[in-house]
Amino acid sequence: MSFRAAARIARTAAIKPVMAPRAMTTLARAVATKPAAVNFVATRGVKTINFGGTNEVVHERSDWPQEKLLDYFKNDTLAMIGYGSQGYGQGLNLRDNGLNVIVGVRKDGASWKAAIEDGWVPGENLFDVNEAISKGTIIMNLLSDAAQSETWESIKPQLTEGKTLYFAHGFSPVFKELTKVEPPKNIDVILVAPKGSGRTVRSLFKEGRGINSSYAVWNDVTGKAEEKAIALAVAVGSGYVYQTTFEREVNSDLYGERGCLMGGIHGMFLAQYEVLRENGHTPSEAFNETVEEATQSLYPLIGKYGMDYMYDACSTTARRGALDWYPVFKDALKPVFEDLYQSVKTGKETQRSLDFNSQADYRDKLEKELQTIRDMEIWRVGKEVRKLRPENN
Ligand SMILES: NC(=O)c1ccc[n+]([C@@H]2O[C@H](COP(=O)([O-])OP(=O)(O)OC[C@H]3O[C@@H](n4cnc5c(N)ncnc54)[C@H](OP(=O)(O)O)[C@@H]3O)[C@@H](O)[C@H]2O)c1
């Protein structure tokens, strides 16, 4: 794309306030709402929204201001089991929200050290897994999915009547034939699945914004499970939450991350880059036309204003070509997505994840695969291109 086109995008983006009224108020509220822990503004709550012709109920965090959360959970101890990406994000947000939260991880592991660095104090609010579970009333199982399966036999007997079991993914109970995680029937079992990494759960909260999350109920013995899930979703830093089931959550999540969110987009970048290189284009040109322009110029426009806006902001030449080629890509890729969905639904992806991530040396093996990515020309070029961004000089 030409500089002229890029300049036009920048100009248009700067002057065109084309957000749907709802999106505008969401953004306005997010900006207006300072640190989430301090100022919840109770202006909106549960709503039925027409999402492209389908009505869905959503809950917004303004229904659960901080004082209400503190009151709702005043008799609870939230035991955050695991301190990976989600444990970090959700745990610190809960702590900043003033709730009684403790962390449970294996002593002297990487997470134990990370938790101490983040200010959790051994014996005060940092314990080993079993001690934290024994102290908790709401057990938030944020171990890795493979570890949830490995540790289930020791955790299950501690999930006694009156406790609540919380997951951030439907993986363990939905694929119980593979994971062996079968939650007790006499306690509430709920799910809150943030739609982003734990780092983003934390950074959005600190900016006074919130991650979108889904919530679901597996067991409701108290009649309060749904309400508890929604309240917890807000407490861990969600901006709005939509209802799902454990099954729908795990299927869509495993599918999405293998597809457009990570695997699919990575494969598409590689294919486009390789063809450019095979046709004599320089690394700079191939990278700029594949990744840099996408992530720095065009994808943020999709994120902020939508796909039609991005088309509208581009040159007539770019627009015509993209309009002609997107159906070709869609038709070529749809069978791959269909295969992928089946692979998820049948449990094949779950089995693969359990097999790989249960190995004692899974971190080393993962590191080797990540190194292969780091060593690819495209991503080595990316490193140099990023250095040239004026803000990085
Ligand atoms: N990451 C995301 O973007 C994301 C988004 C939404 C939902 N989720 C879900 O959130 C949950 C947690 O995911 P995560 O990415 O935060 O965690 P993770 O990084 O996959 O898991 C890390 C935690 O598991 C512990 N662990 C691993 N093996 C263990 C074992 N054998 N015994 C005891 N502890 C063990 C680690 O402790 P050590 O340091 O001691 O090894 C660490 O605290 C999962 O259900 C995941 O699907 C994740």
Side-chain angles (χ1 to χ4, degrees):
M1 178 179 292
S2 67
F3 264 135
R4 213 153 50 83
R8 183 160 168 254
I9 291 173
R11 263 202 321 274
T12 329
I15 57 173
K16 195 176 174 190
V18 281
M19 280 184 284
R22 198 190 122 66
M24 183 88 91
T25 48
T26 302
L27 185 60
R29 190 170 62 82
V31 170
T33 308
K34 279 275 178 37
V38 187
N39 289 326
F40 284 109
V41 183
T43 50
R44 307 191 312 200
V46 53
K47 282 232 172 355
T48 301
I49 307 274
N50 184 320
F51 288 101
T54 302
N55 284 335
E56 290 185 47
V57 173
V58 302
H59 301 262
E60 296 179 279
R61 94 176 158 201
S62 48
D63 226 19
W64 286 91
Q66 194 185 12
E67 315 79 66
K68 188 171 163 186
L69 287 175
L70 289 173
D71 185 57
Y72 192 78
F73 292 114
K74 63 177 183 287
N75 297 323
D76 282 305
T77 299
L78 311 181
M80 176 72 55
I81 307 304
Y83 200 73
S85 165
Q86 288 297 326
Y88 154 85
Q90 298 191 26
L92 291 179
N93 291 355
L94 288 169
R95 193 172 77 182
D96 285 355
N97 267 335
L99 298 182
N100 179 21
V101 55
I102 60 176
V103 170
V105 287
R106 47 186 172 187
K107 261 192 180 151
D108 300 324
S111 298
W112 180 269
K113 288 173 195 149
I116 289 175
E117 275 170 30
D118 290 338
W120 301 94
V121 180
E124 196 177 298
N125 53 18
L126 173 62
F127 303 94
D128 74 17
V129 171
N130 287 338
E131 201 175 349
I133 297 178
S134 73
K135 290 181 185 299
T137 55
I138 299 180
I139 312 303
M140 305 177 76
N141 195 335
L142 296 184
L143 294 174
S144 73
D145 295 306
Q148 289 179 21
S149 179
E150 278 172 58
T151 57
W152 183 244
E153 281 312 307
S154 65
I155 286 182
K156 188 175 177 179
Q158 303 180 71
L159 301 172
T160 47
E161 212 168 332
K163 299 207 184 213
T164 296
L165 177 60
Y166 164 110
F167 291 100
H169 197 9
F171 190 100
S172 292
V174 170
F175 292 109
K176 54 182 184 289
E177 277 76 31
L178 304 173
T179 62
K180 311 295 176 211
V181 175
E182 188 147 15
K185 292 196 168 41
N186 62 341
I187 61 170
D188 286 350
V189 180
I190 56 179
L191 167 148
V192 173
K195 297 294 121 189
S197 90
R199 301 276 145 194
T200 320
V201 169
R202 181 63 179 156
S203 62
L204 288 179
F205 177 86
K206 279 166 67 177
E207 288 167 30
R209 300 164 64 199
I211 191 100
N212 301 338
S213 303
S214 59
Y215 75 92
V217 172
W218 182 268
N219 277 349
D220 181 9
V221 295
T222 61
K224 297 266 179 205
E226 180 174 2
E227 183 182 69
K228 215 180 319 182
I230 295 164
L232 273 171
V234 172
V236 300
S238 306
Y240 91 86
V241 288
Y242 58 92
Q243 193 181 42
T244 187
T245 62
F246 273 62
E247 288 80 4
R248 288 207 308 265
E249 190 285 329
V250 71
N251 287 339
S252 58
D253 192 78
L254 294 179
Y255 173 75
E257 65 204 9
R258 281 154 184 73
C260 284
L261 302 180
M262 292 172 71
I265 201 71
H266 189 193
M268 193 140 151
F269 281 157
L270 291 180
Q272 170 160 321
Y273 182 89
E274 276 176 30
V275 171
L276 284 169
R277 293 289 287 129
E278 284 155 14
N279 282 278
H281 296 268
T282 62
S284 283
E285 188 161 66
F287 189 84
N288 270 286
E289 288 293 351
T290 303
V291 181
E292 191 72 350
E293 183 168 336
T295 59
Q296 302 307 298
S297 170
L298 300 187
Y299 293 178
L301 293 183
I302 303 173
K304 268 196 174 155
Y305 306 117
M307 186 62 84
D308 60 328
Y309 181 91
M310 191 270 279
Y311 271 77
D312 199 34
C314 291
S315 72
T316 47
T317 312
R319 216 183 289 163
R320 183 67 263 143
L323 286 167
D324 291 343
W325 275 88
Y326 85 76
V328 180
F329 281 105
K330 189 199 138 189
D331 291 348
L333 289 171
K334 194 160 174 203
V336 180
F337 279 101
E338 281 164 346
D339 285 352
L340 170 58
Y341 195 83
Q342 283 314 310
S343 188
V344 167
K345 206 174 163 200
T346 56
K348 201 170 151 197
E349 296 301 313
T350 296
Q351 188 62 60
R352 163 107 178 105
S353 170
L354 288 172
D355 289 346
F356 184 84
N357 294 318
S358 307
Q359 296 170 39
D361 60 348
Y362 87 93
R363 281 183 204 261
D364 299 338
K365 286 188 171 150
L366 170 70
E367 180 51 31
K368 272 195 195 120
E369 289 188 83
L370 294 182
Q371 192 58 46
T372 305
I373 293 178
R374 263 177 232 127
D375 289 343
M376 286 176 181
E377 182 189 280
I378 181 173
W379 303 119
R380 284 188 286 118
V381 173
K383 203 169 161 193
E384 297 310 313
V385 170
R386 286 194 295 279
K387 280 188 209 156
L388 289 168
R389 289 182 197 154
E391 70 271 23
N392 292 340
N393 279 334

